[in-house]
Amino acid sequence: MSDKQNLTSNGLSYKQAGVDIDAGNALVEAIKPAVRSTRRPGTDGEIGGFGGLFDLKAAGFVDPVLVAANDGVGTKLKIAIDTGNHATIGQDLVAMCVNDIIVQGAEPLFFLDYFAIGKLDVEQGIAIVTGIAQGCRLAGCALIGGETAEMPGIYSGKDYDLAGFAVGAAERGTLLPRPNIAAGDILVAIGSSGVHSNGYSLVRKIVSLSGLDWTANAPFAPRTPLSEALLTPTHVYVKPLLAAIRAGIAIKALAHITGGGFIDNIPRMLPDHLAAHVDLNAVTVPKVFGWLSRVGGIDQSEMLRTFNCGVGMLVAIAPEDTVKLVDHLNAAGEIASIVGRLTERTGESVTFQGTLAL
């Protein structure tokens, strides 16, 4: 009997090989309400086709430049996987992408996700995509498609991975940073919600050193389980910053403080002849960073190049517009404060004074 005949008589199916098409279809149907909740001008908010559509004209653009970004969540996923708490990890995925788009002065328009797993659990998938939809609503962008890949043999146990892809637009000539950025401009920090989605390989190492279980009360957040505190989702800065720009507040440049912390991200918004001088005494540092620093024995310089240390976004703006910006952001519920200024560069692109309140 031939090998082909043996396979036929055995009646093997794709499901027996570890891939459940029916589960994938069930997930698509289950998440459609969440996807529809992200509908905005330019899209119909439906999924299920071979590609997602977006109409720039219907979104109100005349001469747009497109801005694209992609990112993942990193090893923060391991906390979600180990604890079975997947409710907010989708917001992290969206935030990491759309915050990079608003940094260019662009409006995020639509988002696509990639969810890869060894064996699909429909309820888990619903929780993850519901979080993605929440992130999209916070950013005002539409979830127009995605891919769920069930790959036994690549992912084992409960492991999975997420990737996100966002596209935004700005009218030609309005992108950031602006060419008039100059020495003397003020740096305004917008507070973070916590660790966001960077440095979690170090975070998990510190948790291991602490001897604490994920269910233990977080030392820096009483009455909150450690896992829940560390899964606090990445803040989405899109709407308050877009509103400020549309209100005529002349933001000159933005820096999203992600992997690489202050040291690597602030220079990305600066021309070569300028440096940023940051007063660390003026930075409001959430308690989680003090705990991480103490338990891990991490010095200030390493904290500044690994974590956001309480600053999720940094704004460069002219002195005469600073009060207007800070008032606008605080009225929108953000925590905004002046933390430095731009100077002519004579050495390092970022310099510091003072000490973080760790």
Side-chain angles (χ1 to χ4, degrees), residues 27-92:
L27 176 60
V28 171
E29 288 302 313
I31 64 176
K32 281 186 176 180
V35 173
R36 293 188 189 107
S37 75
T38 71
R39 182 183 286 117
R40 54 151 295 152
T43 183
D44 62 10
E46 291 291 337
I47 58 170
F50 288 100
L53 304 177
F54 194 91
D55 185 342
L56 284 166
K57 186 174 181 180
F61 288 91
V62 177
D63 185 20
V65 175
L66 296 179
V67 178
N70 73 291
D71 211 334
V73 182
T75 60
K76 187 175 186 177
L77 283 176
K78 283 294 292 178
I79 302 177
I81 292 166
D82 290 346
T83 63
N85 184 355
H86 311 282
T88 58
I89 209 76
Q91 180 177 323
D92 286 295

Side-chain angles (χ1 to χ4, degrees), residues 286-307:
K287 292 180 180 179
V288 60
F289 296 107
W291 181 77
L292 291 170
S293 176
R294 290 190 299 274
V295 176
I298 307 171
D299 64 23
Q300 178 172 279
S301 61
E302 185 67 16
M303 293 294 293
L304 288 169
R305 72 171 305 149
T306 304
F307 299 116

Side-chain angles (χ1 to χ4, degrees), residues 117-203:
I117 192 167
K119 181 174 177 56
L120 182 61
D121 179 319
V122 174
E123 292 304 315
Q124 179 194 66
I126 291 171
I128 291 168
V129 177
T130 298
I132 292 172
Q134 169 66 3
C136 287
R137 289 192 297 270
L138 290 171
C141 68
L143 177 57
I144 66 170
E147 169 70 6
T148 300
E150 196 172 16
M151 297 191 289
I154 299 295
Y155 296 91
S156 60
K158 297 180 180 179
D159 286 347
Y160 65 87
D161 200 7
L162 293 173
F165 310 85
V167 174
E171 294 293 352
R172 194 176 304 276
T174 66
L175 291 171
L176 300 178
R178 305 294 290 170
N180 63 340
I181 188 171
D185 285 343
I186 302 300
L187 294 174
V188 173
I190 312 178
S192 68
S193 55
V195 186
H196 283 183
S197 297
N198 298 103
Y200 271 84
S201 293
L202 180 54
V203 169

